[in-house]
Amino acid sequence: VMLCCLLLVFSLTGLAFSSPANDQPEIVIIGPEMQTYDLDAVQWEIPLTLTAFGPGTQTARLAEFSINGHDLLQLVPKPQRTLPVHRLDNEIGREDFRKWNDYRKRAAILRVRSDERIYFSPAEEQEFREGSSRMKEIKQKRREIAPVTLAVDVANLPFQVAADGLYTVRAVVERGQKTAVWEGDILIVDVEPVDTNPFWVPADLHIHSTYADDGRFTPVQLAPMLVSRGYQIAYITDEPAGWGITRAIFPPRMSGSGDASTNAFLKLNHPYRGNWLPWLATWETYSSAVRSASTTQVAMFPGAEISASNVNQAHTGEHRGHALAYGIQNLTGSATFDAGGLRYSWFRPNNLLNNINNNRIGTSSAAIAHPTGSYPWTFWTTDPPHDNITARYDGFELMTALQTQFGPNSSPVVRWRSELVARLPGVFGDDAGFPSARTGSDWGGLGSEFY
């Protein structure tokens, strides 16, 4: 009787029972806030990942899809209008996820414009990196979390695409009574050779494929994507095998098989990476596949991203940064462990850079990838009390993945300036190398669709 009376009082006073906030359904669409396409692109691709907290169905319905207000839902095949929903309740807290997603959106804006009002503080940048690392861990654990790509043929658009045009893409999904809205922009550029030097062409010098263990696309799949974004040259820089493998001798291999589903199978069923070796691609298979993916519109070249270590010729060690290897002809030159090879994470920085340069003397060259931030390069030309870098390297990434600061006082630019000053006296005398400014997307691996 007392309970009934209480219920009556609550109803009369406008009060109601409610479930805790953590049990309330919530859905969020993750997609690229800004994409850039060439004027001659034949297709635009919009990858969307649906994440959720709280109870609800495992799928959601695409209720709206438009570009600049033009309804394009009819261009999406009906089977693709049902999208999988990935619950994250047991993976990350709601507030941590919201904070990371906000940082991700701000970082996307910083990629296309400089705006002091949205710069990251050092503390925010650290939080963003930690959140991104957590999200990548979740994707590695939950292999089913992957974007659904909505592809739009440019020829089917109800408007004329123009150079320097900015087009807003809008998607709305419904999951029960909950609705989520996402908007992102597509910027169109007319990529032409530089007038002052017609031999310069747009190139992506740091990209990954399924020949890396976390790659999502094969070289053949990457080629048209690169063309649509205006690139005419691409260097696939996948990692060789070696990380976490404790065998003293094994044939040189890449860290991936060349097939995304096989890589996922190996991660799930063979946690000890030494067991992966029979499935992993050789350098010959990898380099042939990359070159064969070339078309008349984009030239594809095989390279490698190799980790420096704090020890030489050992199987485990601390990260000392990543170097990009261009123009190399193999991984080791032999089937045995050797001091001049390019095995992953087994060489101190000077040895690693020399090994790249000597792989094909006069043709191969090294560059420093993401010098600061995540997996930073930690030894430099003048950097006491550490071992100084004396080996030649020819490139330095000033802009790369997950970067949030791009001004003249950003950490990569500050480090680059000090390297130029330190190396200038020896550039013309002892072939010490003079690092040119470079950029690389570091795109194509697991989780890269977030950035």
Side-chain angles (χ1 to χ4, degrees):
V1 171
M2 290 178 63
L3 285 174
C4 291
C5 291
L6 286 171
L7 287 171
L8 179 61
V9 170
F10 284 138
S11 64
L12 291 175
T13 57
L15 299 176
F17 290 112
S18 62
S19 57
N22 284 343
D23 292 334
Q24 292 299 305
E26 180 180 351
I27 184 168
V28 178
I29 306 173
I30 299 177
E33 268 58 42
M34 173 64 73
Q35 292 194 85
T36 304
Y37 281 92
D38 185 54
L39 181 61
D40 296 326
V42 297
Q43 191 176 75
W44 296 349
E45 297 147 349
I46 298 91
L48 302 178
T49 305
L50 272 57
T51 58
F53 292 89
T57 60
Q58 295 181 341
T59 60
R61 182 178 68 90
L62 182 65
E64 179 185 330
F65 180 64
S66 63
I67 299 180
N68 273 22
H70 296 275
D71 183 8
L72 301 180
L73 187 60
Q74 71 278 6
L75 297 183
V76 181
K78 287 187 177 181
Q80 293 185 23
R81 299 181 197 178
T82 301
L83 289 77
V85 177
H86 308 284
R87 285 187 61 176
L88 301 178
D89 297 82
N90 299 324
E91 310 291 353
I92 187 172
R94 293 194 191 206
E95 287 303 317
D96 290 338
F97 176 81
R98 292 187 189 112
K99 186 178 293 186
W100 167 79
N101 198 30
D102 178 63
Y103 288 151
R104 183 188 62 82
K105 294 176 182 178
R106 289 168 59 188
I109 297 172
L110 286 170
R111 274 166 168 66
V112 294
R113 77 169 194 245
S114 179
D115 189 336
E116 293 182 359
R117 294 170 299 177
I118 54 176
Y119 266 26
F120 282 67
S121 69
E124 289 176 327
E125 186 163 3
Q126 179 63 29
E127 282 189 326
F128 178 41
R129 293 187 184 282
E130 290 174 354
S132 296
S133 296
R134 179 57 188 148
M135 290 301 296
K136 186 172 183 178
E137 290 173 0
I138 293 170
K139 289 209 67 177
Q140 289 175 330
K141 174 184 175 183
R142 299 268 303 277
R143 299 292 300 189
E144 79 278 7
I145 298 180
V148 173
T149 299
L150 305 181
V152 177
D153 290 333
V154 175
N156 292 333
L157 293 174
F159 52 84
Q160 186 69 34
V161 177
D164 300 322
L166 188 65
Y167 302 92
T168 299
V169 185
R170 176 183 169 90
V172 179
V173 300
E174 296 177 349
R175 182 191 188 218
Q177 300 300 314
K178 291 293 181 180
T179 299
V181 179
W182 168 85
E183 287 189 353
D185 290 325
I186 289 179
L187 174 66
I188 302 301
V189 295
D190 190 8
V191 181
E192 297 290 347
V194 180
D195 290 338
T196 56
N197 187 341
F199 298 104
W200 287 26
V201 294
D204 191 332
L205 299 177
H206 186 175
I207 196 168
H208 293 287
S209 78
T210 49
Y211 287 97
D213 71 335
D214 62 350
R216 292 180 51 225
F217 302 105
T218 66
V220 170
Q221 291 171 322
L222 286 169
M225 296 179 182
L226 291 158
V227 171
S228 290
R229 288 158 177 81
Y231 290 109
Q232 298 175 32
I233 290 174
Y235 246 105
I236 308 297
T237 52
D238 286 336
E239 300 93 346
W243 190 276
I245 295 176
T246 56
R247 292 187 199 177
I249 297 176
F250 64 87
R253 302 272 181 169
M254 301 305 294
S255 61
S257 66
D259 178 77
S261 61
T262 301
N263 292 343
F265 172 82
L266 294 176
K267 282 179 174 289
L268 183 65
N269 295 283
H270 297 275
Y272 171 60
R273 294 190 66 184
N275 292 332
W276 295 17
L277 292 173
W279 289 278
L280 299 181
T282 64
W283 170 264
E284 290 72 23
T285 299
Y286 163 66
S287 59
S288 175
V290 172
R291 292 182 182 278
S292 298
S294 298
T295 69
T296 56
Q297 296 170 297
V298 60
M300 309 280 279
F301 295 97
E305 183 177 16
I306 307 166
S307 177
S309 176
N310 63 327
V311 291
N312 262 330
Q313 292 178 252
H315 302 288
T316 58
E318 298 177 8
H319 249 110
R320 285 293 183 264
H322 291 178
L324 298 169
Y326 302 109
I328 58 176
Q329 60 185 340
N330 53 35
L331 294 178
T332 64
S334 70
T336 60
F337 188 94
D338 57 78
L342 297 176
R343 299 190 184 279
Y344 195 39
S345 190
W346 286 340
F347 298 96
R348 295 181 70 87
N350 274 317
N351 296 81
L352 172 58
L353 296 176
N354 282 325
N355 288 355
I356 293 173
N357 294 328
N358 294 332
N359 187 270
R360 189 157 54 172
I361 295 175
T363 300
S364 56
S365 66
I368 304 301
H370 37 76
T372 62
S374 299
Y375 302 111
W377 188 267
T378 57
F379 290 109
W380 299 102
T381 302
T382 303
D383 192 22
H386 302 298
D387 293 346
N388 294 346
I389 290 294
T390 57
R392 179 189 181 104
Y393 71 93
D394 296 284
F396 189 105
E397 282 189 346
L398 289 185
M399 291 189 288
T400 187
L402 274 182
Q403 194 167 330
T404 59
Q405 306 288 350
F406 301 96
N409 293 319
S410 64
S411 57
V413 179
V414 170
R415 173 57 69 179
W416 182 57
R417 286 200 300 263
S418 68
E419 283 293 283
L420 295 180
V421 171
R423 286 187 169 255
L424 185 58
V427 166
F428 302 104
D430 58 4
D431 196 36
F434 197 61
S436 64
R438 307 222 180 139
T439 67
S441 67
D442 200 1
W443 188 82
L446 186 66
S448 64
E449 67 270 17
F450 291 153
Y451 320 118

